[in-house]
């Protein structure tokens, strides 16, 4: 009788936690949809470049062996980010908002597994971790910006979930699934993905010693991981080892006695802390206090010889420490987007802190509740800030909405006739307008400009562009539209000199973007 009563109680608690998880994810999901509604999201050179490449792959039928460029000149990430992005490209008929919705969906998937993992530490841990996942500055911005490193951030909870599942249940499918994600992470962002096999193998060494080497699933997983690297290897072979040479050149340039361990240690430590801060609502004191509490709890765990008892905590620690140590010794540039997976692991550890504090009775529970109240207050401030700014005009020239308004203004000003359009962006290469003029022009107006580039008669810099040219013969208006983003680098006058012989018809500010109309 007692057994049945206990089972009913556990089922009720489980359902309550499940409802709490769904509620937090639903709130965060709606928040992100509202935030990005009406074209209110960034479409800049990085994600526009991706859409140009995916267009070439899907529309022109040119399959790819590489993905986006990396921080190392001549070295490319793997192509699977492009194949993933091709899904919303097709479903949304090329609308870049499809990529944003995909990021929000990945955020929700990762959030489900993250909150499922921390649910073992109670409802306070679920709410605290859920609020950070839903409303922190870093996680919010990452989930409304289509960028190849961000799936790594959001799929990290699934990676950790599968790895822990394997260590507990020893079922091969979990380990193979972990290696699949490792291969994808390497494709999405090599700067972090290179550490994923090390994270897996170190976790196996700690809990399985060397017995995992005798397991078939380990070797199947290794093969699966290597298969994800195959496209890049083929590309390298096809192009006379261009990527291998670029790596050797990069490492050679960073060698030669200039390495300073102390300086590198400080640099990487600062990078980590400076990424943790926006993960926790830009509250530096909160980050410092949380780290102090975590280290005190960790020391207690080590003294009681319990450090290896909690596999989830140790895997999350490994997720942080392996990249941290690796970045100290590998001379690569470390940016905030390379540390998304690390930040996700810290949210799991925040749940662990809440659980351990709850075990300390009254004082510990009071401290845990104080952390929850602080996180709730920070979330409230971010929501208030969003609500107060939601109705205000967005003056970012890289806003998708502002870019479309500028393109619509150009088409409407041409009077249905053809024209030329040239764009000035501080980044020089005009990927956003190369893509959006094609997408908006063909979908809404049915034709493309006579020419659209950053300058006339430039060497080809958009792959297969000839396959996207006009199929209609439209009378020319003999107008040239100059689209000018703000002159942040004070170089715009050099660009404008290319058009000084044309007659100025009109200048207009279209939101934050200046458009000058000229004629021959």
């Amino acid at each position: 009788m007692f057994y049945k009563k206990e089972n009913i109680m556990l089922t009720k608690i489980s359902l309550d936690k499940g409802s709490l998880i769904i509620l937090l994810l639903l709130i965060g999901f709606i928040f992100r949809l509202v935030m990005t509604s009406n074209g209110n999201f960034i479409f800049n050179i990085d994600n526009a470049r991706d859409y140009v490449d995916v267009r070439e792959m899907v529309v022109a039928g040119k399959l790819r062996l590489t993905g986006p460029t990396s921080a190392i000149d001549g070295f490319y990430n793997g192509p699977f980010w492009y194949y993933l992005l091709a899904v919303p490209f097709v479903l949304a008929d090329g609308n870049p908002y499809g990529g944003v919705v995909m990021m929000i969906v990945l955020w929700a998937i990762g959030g489900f597994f993250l909150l499922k993992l921390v649910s073992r530490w109670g409802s306070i841990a679920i709410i605290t971790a859920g609020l950070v996942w839903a409303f922190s500055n870093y996680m919010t911005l990452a989930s409304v910006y289509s960028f190849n490193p961000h799936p790594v951030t959001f799929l990290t909870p699934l990676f950790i979930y599968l790895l822990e599942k394997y260590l507990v249940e020893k079922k091969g499918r979990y380990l193979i699934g972990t290696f699949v994600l490792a291969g994808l992470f390497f494709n999405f962002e090599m700067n972090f993905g290179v550490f994923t096999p090390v994270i897996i193998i170190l976790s196996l060494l700690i809990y399985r010693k060397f017995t995992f080497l005798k397991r078939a699933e380990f070797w199947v997983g290794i093969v699966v991981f290597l298969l994800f690297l195959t496209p890049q290897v083929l590309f390298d072979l096809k192009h006379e080892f261009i990527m291998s040479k670029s790596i050797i050149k990069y490492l050679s340039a960073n060698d030669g006695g200039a390495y300073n361990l102390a300086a590198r240690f400080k640099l990487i430590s600062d990078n980590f802390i400076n990424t943790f801060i926006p993960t926790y609502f830009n509250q530096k004191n909160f980050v410092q206090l949380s780290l102090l509490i975590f280290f005190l709890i960790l020391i207690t765990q080590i003294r009681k010889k319990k450090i290896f008892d909690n596999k989830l905590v140790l895997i999350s620690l490994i997720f942080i420490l392996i990249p941290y140590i690796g970045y100290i010794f590998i001379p690569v540039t470390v940016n905030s987007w390379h540390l998304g997976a690390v930040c996700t692991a810290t949210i799991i550890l925040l749940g662990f802190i809440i659980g351990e504090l709850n075990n300390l009775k009254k004082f510990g529970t009071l401290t845990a509740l104080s952390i929850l109240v602080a996180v709730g207050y920070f979330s409230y401030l971010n929501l208030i800030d969003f609500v107060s700014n939601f109705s205000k005009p967005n003056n970012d020239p890289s806003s998708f909405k502002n870019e479309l308004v500028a393109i619509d203004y150009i088409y409407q000003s041409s009077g249905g006739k053809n024209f030329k359009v040239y764009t000035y962006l501080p980044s020089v290469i005009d990927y956003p307008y190369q893509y959006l003029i094609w997408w908006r022009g063909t979908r809404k107006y049915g034709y493309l400009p006579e020419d659209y580039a950053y300058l006339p008669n430039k060497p080809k810099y958009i792959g297969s562009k000839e396959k996207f040219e006009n199929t209609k013969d439209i009378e020319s208006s003999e107008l040239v539209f100059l689209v000018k983003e703000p002159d942040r680098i004070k170089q715009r006058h050099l660009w404008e000199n290319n058009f000084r012989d044309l007659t100025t018809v009109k200048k207009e500010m279209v939101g934050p973007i200046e458009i000058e109309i000229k004629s021959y």
Side-chain angles (χ1 to χ4, degrees):
M1 189 74 178
F2 175 76
Y3 174 76
K4 288 182 179 179
K5 185 177 180 181
E6 184 182 36
N7 264 356
I8 292 169
M9 188 178 295
L10 286 172
T11 302
K12 185 178 179 181
I13 291 171
S14 176
L15 286 173
D16 288 344
K17 288 180 179 178
S19 300
L20 192 56
I21 290 171
I22 297 301
L23 178 62
L24 285 164
L25 293 176
L26 184 61
I27 291 170
F29 192 84
I30 294 172
F31 170 60
R32 282 157 172 77
L33 289 179
V34 173
M35 175 182 284
T36 56
S37 62
N38 198 28
N40 191 28
F41 59 91
I42 298 300
F43 191 69
N44 62 14
I45 187 167
D46 289 321
N47 33 52
R49 171 209 62 202
D50 293 347
Y51 263 83
V52 166
D53 289 342
V54 170
R55 177 188 66 173
E56 182 185 32
M57 189 175 74
V58 175
V59 180
K62 185 177 178 181
L63 299 182
R64 297 184 63 91
L65 295 175
T66 58
T69 55
S70 72
I72 301 174
D73 186 36
F75 200 79
Y76 298 88
N77 286 293
F80 284 92
W81 162 246
Y82 283 160
Y83 287 96
L84 178 64
L85 192 59
V87 176
F89 180 96
V90 172
L91 293 177
D93 192 28
N95 191 331
Y97 189 50
V100 174
V101 172
M102 181 183 72
M103 299 310 301
I104 297 173
V105 170
L106 290 176
W107 169 87
I109 292 170
F112 173 79
F113 285 99
L114 182 139
L115 297 182
K116 185 177 178 68
L117 287 170
V118 304
S119 64
R120 68 192 67 185
W121 295 308
S123 296
I124 298 176
I126 293 174
I127 298 171
T128 306
L131 289 174
V132 175
W133 189 254
F135 298 114
S136 88
N137 304 66
Y138 186 96
M139 294 300 165
T140 299
L141 291 175
S143 57
V144 298
Y145 182 68
S146 176
F147 190 35
N148 56 288
H150 293 163
V152 178
T153 302
F154 300 134
L155 293 178
T156 288
L158 177 57
F159 185 108
I160 293 174
Y161 173 84
L162 291 173
L163 184 53
E164 188 200 23
K165 268 282 193 181
Y166 177 72
L167 294 175
V168 173
E169 299 184 13
K170 303 177 185 176
K171 293 181 180 178
R173 64 177 181 271
Y174 294 126
L175 185 60
I176 294 169
T178 307
F179 273 110
V180 167
L181 285 177
L184 287 172
F185 286 8
F186 190 88
N187 267 256
F188 295 156
E189 180 47 66
M190 288 181 296
N191 202 314
F192 175 82
V194 69
F195 299 115
T196 53
V198 182
I199 291 168
I200 295 171
I201 292 171
L202 181 57
S203 301
L204 293 174
L205 277 171
I206 291 172
Y207 289 105
R208 293 286 171 266
K209 306 304 178 188
F210 285 96
T211 59
F212 70 88
L213 294 172
K214 301 176 183 178
R215 307 281 297 189
E217 59 263 23
F218 173 75
W219 296 107
V220 171
I222 290 291
V223 170
V224 167
F225 178 79
L226 292 175
L227 285 174
F228 278 98
L229 276 58
T230 303
Q232 288 157 290
V233 173
L234 292 175
F235 177 85
D236 212 26
L237 290 170
K238 185 179 177 182
H239 293 86
E240 299 178 348
F241 301 100
I242 183 175
M243 294 205 296
S244 300
K245 290 174 182 176
S246 66
I247 283 286
I248 293 169
K249 182 180 177 181
Y250 180 84
L251 293 176
S252 300
N254 287 278
D255 197 10
Y259 179 81
N260 184 313
L261 178 60
R264 186 70 181 176
F265 175 82
K266 184 181 185 306
L267 175 65
I268 298 304
S269 298
D270 288 345
N271 285 345
F272 271 62
I273 294 296
N274 290 336
T275 308
F276 293 161
I277 290 171
T279 304
Y280 294 95
F281 309 95
N282 289 326
Q283 301 292 327
K284 186 175 181 179
N285 291 337
F286 181 84
V287 171
Q288 291 172 336
L289 181 60
S290 299
L291 284 172
L292 177 61
I293 294 172
F294 175 72
F295 283 126
L296 290 174
I297 292 172
L298 192 62
I299 290 168
T300 303
Q301 294 271 313
I302 293 171
R303 283 180 177 175
K304 292 181 179 180
K305 299 181 179 179
K306 291 184 176 181
I307 187 63
F308 297 109
D309 293 348
N310 196 319
K311 294 179 177 65
L312 175 57
V313 171
L314 199 58
I315 293 169
S316 300
L317 266 175
I318 291 170
F319 240 87
I320 298 168
L321 292 176
I322 291 298
Y324 178 73
I325 294 168
Y327 287 137
I328 288 174
F329 292 101
I330 301 172
V332 294
T333 302
V334 181
N335 296 304
S336 60
W337 53 84
H338 300 137
L339 302 178
V342 172
C343 294
T344 297
T346 68
I347 299 175
I348 294 173
L349 294 178
L350 179 64
F352 167 67
I353 290 172
I354 297 294
E356 288 300 301
L357 288 172
N358 269 331
N359 292 334
L360 299 178
K361 298 183 180 178
K362 291 182 179 179
F363 176 75
T365 302
L366 183 62
T367 305
L369 286 171
S370 298
I371 292 174
L372 172 58
V373 169
V375 168
Y377 178 66
F378 301 147
S379 301
Y380 167 77
L381 291 179
N382 276 4
L383 270 173
I384 291 296
D385 182 63
F386 164 71
V387 171
S388 64
N389 289 299
F390 184 68
S391 58
K392 296 178 182 178
N394 185 338
N395 290 319
D396 190 335
S398 296
S399 161
F400 178 72
K401 178 181 180 180
N402 290 333
E403 291 165 337
L404 282 192
V405 169
I407 293 169
D408 286 340
Y409 173 85
I410 292 169
Y411 267 96
Q412 290 160 14
S413 298
S414 71
K417 296 181 179 181
N418 219 323
F419 57 89
K420 295 180 181 180
V421 55
Y422 302 103
T423 54
Y424 170 82
L425 281 72
S427 58
V428 181
I429 302 297
D430 59 333
Y431 282 126
Y433 287 92
Q434 283 295 311
Y435 183 78
L436 290 179
I437 289 172
W438 167 80
W439 179 72
R440 191 69 158 182
T442 55
R443 300 305 190 271
K444 185 173 182 178
Y445 299 100
Y447 70 99
L448 294 173
E450 298 171 58
D451 190 22
Y452 57 108
Y454 66 91
L455 280 175
N457 304 316
K458 281 295 172 185
K460 177 180 173 181
Y461 59 96
I462 301 294
S464 303
K465 188 174 178 179
E466 67 280 357
K467 295 186 178 181
F468 308 108
E469 297 297 335
N470 265 326
T471 56
K472 294 182 178 179
D473 185 17
I474 298 174
E475 180 187 356
S476 176
S477 65
E478 297 189 350
L479 294 177
V480 175
F481 293 85
L482 305 182
V483 180
K484 308 176 188 179
E485 285 199 358
D487 193 11
R488 295 191 294 270
I489 60 173
K490 308 302 178 186
Q491 298 289 322
R492 199 169 77 182
H493 64 284
L494 300 175
W495 176 84
E496 290 172 323
N497 285 340
N498 292 276
F499 308 98
R500 62 181 178 271
D501 295 333
L502 300 180
T503 303
T504 298
V505 176
K506 183 180 177 183
K507 287 185 180 181
E508 188 88 26
M509 288 301 299
V510 181
I513 299 168
E514 179 184 334
I515 297 180
E516 182 176 5
I517 305 176
K518 286 181 172 284
S519 66
Y520 296 109

